[in-house]
Amino acid sequence: MVTTDRPENVGGLTRKDFVTDQEVRWCPGCGDYSILAQTQRVMPELGIPRENIVFISGIGCSSRLPYYMNTYGFHSIHGRAPTIASGLKASRPELSVWVVTGDGDAFSIGGNHILHVLRRNVDLQIILHNNEIYGLTKGQYSPTSEFGKRTKSSPYGTIDRPLHPLSVAIGAEATFVARAIDIDAHQLAATLDRAARHRGASFVEVYQNCNIFNDGAFAEFAAKEVRADRTILLEHGKPMIFGKEQNKGLRLNGMTFEVVTIGENGVTEADIMVHDETREDPSVAFLLSRMEGPAFPVPVGVIRAVQRPTYDQLMQQQLDEIARAEGPGDLRELFTEGDTWTVE
Amino acid sequence: MTTLTKSSEQPEGREVTELDRVTIRFVGDSGDGMQLAGTQFTKTSAVLGNDISTFPDIPAEIRAPQGSLPGVSGFQVSFSSHDIFTPGDAPDVLVAMNPAALKTNIGDLPRGGILIVNEDEFSETNLKKAAYKDNPLTDGSLSAYRLYKVPITSLTQRALKDTGLTPVQIDRCKNMFALGLTYWMYSRPLDTTIRWVQEKFGKNKAVADANVMAVKAGHAFGETTEMFASHYIVPKAKLKPGLYRNITGNEATALGFITASKLAGRPLFYGSYPITPASDVLHELARLKKFGVRTFQAEDEIAAIGATIGASFGGSLALTGTSGPGLALKSEAIGLAVMVELPLVIMDVQRAGPSTGMPTKTEQADLLQALYGRNGESPVAVVAPATPSDCFNIAIEAFRIAVKYRTPVIFLSDGYLGMGSEPWLVPNVDDLAPIDPDFASDAATFKPYARDPQTGAPPWAIPGTPGLEHRIGGLEKADITGNVSYDPNNHDRMVHLRAEKIERIVQDVPDVEVMGEPGGPLLVLGWGSTYGAITTAVMRAQAQGKKVTSAHLRHLNPLPKNLGEVLRRYDRVLMPEVNLGQLRLIVRGKYLVDAIGLNKVAGRPFTIADIENKITELLG
């Protein structure tokens, strides 16, 4: 497990302290309600004073979330939330900064910023509400929509191949990569909690159902009745076992995973790969990030959590070291650097 | 302009002529060290007590093919015994290190001007690279100039033959030989340069010694050879007493922003993406981390301003910097800062556009972009420095306005100011007024968009302040509370409140002052880097008895409150701009004054003569 560096302290706050007086304006039945509720539920558990928490979003349905969080909040412009969050965190490292984004916001218009906020490892949480559709603009395909999808802007089917957000995150040197499902409230809350406690850029993909424009996009594996068989909850240090009967597992065969059944063909629990989220090498995490149904279970939980110095911490450290070595800056000295002369 | 004031015979028969102003242009291949020769000449002349003004002319290519026309790099320095405001229209002396440099610059040298060429480089190959059919040194085509053919390469080689350096290393010293020769011609001491060489190459003694030997050899060549009939002195200028240093506009800008941060007691945050000609400011601020400056080299222009807005939300003095194309990319984010009303300074060191344009060449054509280049009613304050050293004052002014009025402020410099230099009277830090960030802290009375009755500005409530948790964003907000609002009347009100806030800045804008008569037949009105050329041209015209006055604007939005009244006191208003008449459009629209344009967009600043000629044309 990753070490916890924040006190477990509710500080007298409850979920209700994080609810604003603003009317929530998502469509009834939207997966965003669950994400909001779990976010508000997790907040008091973190022991962070409310005034030190900031939610920053871009544009899209999900990006309305900061209006509903009774913390500091900034609903910014399309795709740019990671930049605003980076500037805030780099200049105020003591704040807990959260980025709320969607698949279009993060991977279409804001694709560049996602790469760079992850590689810099700025210590903030990025919560991707992935509904594989453009909701706010009323139903066009997104960069995570499946190939061939028919939407308002692709009546004959898309010809764009989708990207895998978690794979992109791993490729961009992300130190914390996790996935959750909107309707699995418990696991979602646990994942948000882990993300908050990770030092560095935490990237969480939440499969979020858009019941208006892409209803049932994740039902194939996320629906309660099939979830146990079609998803796998990754837990650090435990074998990657799943299924209603808890008898299926993932075994590494060469450079790919295969699904095996414990008790069949001589397979025992010892053959199942143990999940190591702290593995420095990202290859296994990458394989997991691309694992899809129906042949494989969809991984949820923390895929990768490694420790690296954070951008904000390095920036502060550099400033402190320079201040120690060179002393505080003196304007008079600065003004008269180099050759000067006096006119009588 | 060179004015000959007196001559005298020296005992050894060499004539010494006193001049009041000289302009030298060093030109050569971009690998020839011309920028270095130019800056050394500048430093030496400044320390000697001349007033100076400089401008480098750097090719966009880092290393174009050696000896080629696009690879020519130049540095012009003007030094004088009186106040000067520009680096000079045309050089009095052209030092050309190869045929390409001669070809691209000879057109600027007036007839009778001094031309020093490195004749060693006029080989057949080099002539061909410069597209010369015949050798200009021998075909008589340079007969209009006072041509001095100096074998700079071979003289440098001979002087340094015993240093043990490689031929390549020795060749790199030929700029110092040329510099030494010009030091002799204009009676400059060598010590400032020798000291600099020793500091710069201190670790490599052989190289340091070779550079010193080369500059001395050049000086000795001037003294001993019979080639030069006379040399010159340019006496000290009568500058305002005090401590001076030479400073470029970009350096002064960086220093101004750091000073603003100190005055506000808040750390400076600089988000930027490298772009010519603004990158020097990033380099300068990144070097000065001991002042608590946080520099963020972003992945693109948008991220640069995004991070800056984030830092402003957090309470830093937040700055982003760029040049024209980058300002275009930042437009949407500037609109966001207008909407959320956070203090922010956007520095634009303008260059020739549109699109990529000519990155190393100057222009003033981003004014309308700065004023209006955003969607919706999106007013911002705009300020523009007038001279390289004025960049310091205007940088502080930009933050003073941004913080007090909680608004983005665009600081419009340009390549001519940014790269040009002049002496700077070092200010006394204690004389500068503090900037009060005035953060909100009282939870009982806090309303995110309640406004200060005097400024019209909302509070600056930064995260970390208990009880002030609130949400801001790009959606229209209800007056006072800041909650999202689509109410038509509220939107109308908010658009007016934001506009009125910018208009109220005028209470802090000094009245425009005129240089000359308070009224009359002609006013020359300028802004930004045209100050030097306009001021000099108008002074000269006034000295000839012409009834002309000048005025200069540093605040472009809002404009000084007395401007309309001043304009109406003159029969005609002439507006020189390095664009097609952008401020003129505003002035005509706002004051209904039929101003006349003088517009030049050649990637170069106005010459004094450009403006003098127009004044003559208008006044006869």
Side-chain angles (χ1 to χ4, degrees), chain A residues 38-306:
Chain A
Q38 296 317 314
T39 306
Q40 287 167 334
R41 199 182 106 190
V42 166
M43 285 297 126
E45 310 293 323
L46 299 174
I48 303 167
R50 198 170 57 176
E51 64 271 17
N52 282 356
I53 301 172
V54 187
F55 276 80
I56 301 178
S57 63
I59 293 293
C61 295
S62 57
S63 289
R64 289 292 188 102
L65 189 139
Y67 289 118
Y68 313 133
M69 292 295 301
N70 195 6
T71 61
Y72 282 89
F74 200 155
H75 177 219
S76 75
I77 46 178
H78 208 4
R80 318 302 172 198
T83 70
I84 292 169
S86 294
L88 179 60
K89 183 69 183 182
S91 57
R92 298 284 307 277
E94 76 279 16
L95 299 175
S96 169
V97 181
W98 296 67
V99 170
V100 181
T101 184
D103 36 318
D105 193 57
F107 286 97
S108 210
I109 196 165
N112 192 25
H113 309 308
I114 280 289
L115 297 182
H116 294 277
V117 71
L118 292 173
R119 84 171 161 87
R120 290 190 186 108
N121 200 30
V122 184
D123 183 19
L124 35 83
Q125 291 68 247
I126 302 164
I127 312 302
L128 169 72
H129 298 217
N130 183 5
N131 55 13
E132 301 187 350
I133 197 79
Y134 284 161
L136 195 64
T137 51
K138 300 191 169 65
Q140 301 82 7
Y141 62 95
S142 93
T144 57
S145 297
E146 70 272 19
F147 186 85
K149 188 177 188 69
R150 287 169 193 270
T151 69
K152 276 187 189 161
S153 59
S154 59
Y156 299 100
T158 64
I159 51 172
D160 303 28
R161 201 157 284 285
L163 51 72
H164 296 69
L166 298 186
S167 305
V168 175
I170 291 165
E173 303 292 324
T175 56
F176 182 97
V177 175
R179 183 188 279 147
I181 296 171
D182 54 1
I183 53 175
D184 187 349
H186 177 75
Q187 189 261 329
L188 172 57
T191 306
L192 294 174
D193 186 83
R194 281 289 312 279
R197 292 169 199 275
H198 173 75
R199 276 201 160 200
S202 311
F203 184 81
V204 180
E205 176 183 39
V206 185
Y207 282 141
Q208 172 243 325
N209 191 46
C210 171
N211 56 323
I212 305 296
F213 295 109
N214 203 16
D215 196 25
F218 312 107
E220 215 170 85
F221 56 85
K224 214 165 181 181
E225 21 337 329
V226 297
R227 198 184 302 153
D229 282 326
R230 297 189 186 163
T231 65
I232 178 166
L233 177 62
L234 302 174
E235 291 178 278
H236 180 65
K238 293 191 182 163
M240 294 189 268
I241 292 173
F242 67 103
K244 234 177 246 158
E245 312 294 328
Q246 284 291 298
N247 63 342
K248 285 184 222 157
L250 294 177
R251 182 168 73 179
L252 203 55
N253 181 2
M255 292 183 70
T256 53
F257 273 113
E258 60 183 0
V259 174
V260 293
T261 307
I262 298 166
E264 283 178 15
N265 303 321
V267 174
T268 68
E269 196 177 311
D271 295 314
I272 308 300
M273 190 171 190
V274 171
H275 179 52
D276 180 5
E277 64 188 27
T278 64
R279 189 190 298 268
E280 205 33 61
D281 178 280
S283 315
V284 175
F286 189 76
L287 289 179
L288 290 168
S289 75
R290 297 182 65 84
M291 195 171 273
E292 294 175 323
F296 286 93
V298 173
V300 295
V302 179
I303 291 179
R304 178 172 170 79
V306 296

Side-chain angles (χ1 to χ4, degrees), chain B residues 2 30 43 73 106 166 284 409 411 474 556:
Chain B
T2 307
S30 52
K43 275 190 181 176
S73 167
I106 190 68
T166 64
E284 195 66 9
V409 177
F411 171 95
L556 300 168

Side-chain angles (χ1 to χ4, degrees), chain A residues 51 71-72 90 316 335 341, chain B residues 242 244-245 294 464-465 471-472:
Chain A
E51 64 271 17
T71 61
Y72 282 89
Q316 188 61 53
F335 293 171
W341 66 95
Chain B
Y244 282 83
R245 67 172 278 193
R294 289 169 194 263
T465 318
R471 275 64 56 192
I472 61 175

Side-chain angles (χ1 to χ4, degrees), chain A residues 19-22 25 49-57 59 64-95 109-110 112-117 119-120 122 311-312 315-320 322-323 326-344, chain B residues 43 46-50 52 192 195-196 237-246 255 258-259 262 266 269 284 287-300 302-311 313-316 332-333 336 340 342 392 423-424 426-429 432 461-475 482-484 486:
Chain A
V19 177
T20 63
D21 59 359
Q22 297 297 293
R25 294 192 182 192
R50 198 170 57 176
E51 64 271 17
N52 282 356
I53 301 172
V54 187
F55 276 80
I56 301 178
S57 63
I59 293 293
R64 289 292 188 102
L65 189 139
Y67 289 118
Y68 313 133
M69 292 295 301
N70 195 6
T71 61
Y72 282 89
F74 200 155
H75 177 219
S76 75
I77 46 178
H78 208 4
R80 318 302 172 198
T83 70
I84 292 169
S86 294
L88 179 60
K89 183 69 183 182
S91 57
R92 298 284 307 277
E94 76 279 16
L95 299 175
I109 196 165
N112 192 25
H113 309 308
I114 280 289
L115 297 182
H116 294 277
V117 71
R119 84 171 161 87
R120 290 190 186 108
V122 184
Y311 183 84
D312 37 297
M315 183 178 268
Q316 188 61 53
Q317 210 174 306
Q318 201 175 48
L319 288 173
D320 292 345
I322 292 166
E326 301 180 21
D330 178 79
L331 285 181
R332 185 80 191 161
E333 224 170 76
L334 173 65
F335 293 171
T336 54
E337 260 183 356
D339 295 310
T340 58
W341 66 95
T342 303
V343 173
E344 304 290 339
Chain B
K43 275 190 181 176
V47 172
L48 198 59
N50 293 134
I52 49 173
T192 303
R195 209 167 45 240
W196 178 84
K238 286 183 197 67
L239 297 171
K240 204 175 154 196
L243 184 69
Y244 282 83
R245 67 172 278 193
N246 189 42
L255 263 48
I258 287 180
T259 304
K262 281 267 182 183
R266 299 300 305 164
F269 182 94
E284 195 66 9
R287 184 177 75 84
L288 296 170
K289 288 222 157 77
K290 68 175 168 186
F291 288 89
V293 183
R294 289 169 194 263
T295 54
F296 180 78
Q297 184 175 314
E299 57 270 25
D300 60 28
I302 300 171
I305 187 168
T308 303
I309 291 172
F313 187 42
S316 290
E332 189 194 12
L336 176 67
V340 296
L342 280 172
F392 175 83
W424 177 46
V426 175
N428 186 348
V429 181
L432 303 168
I462 65 171
T465 318
L468 266 50
E469 296 85 357
H470 67 292
R471 275 64 56 192
I472 61 175
L475 287 173
N483 291 331
V484 174
Y486 288 90

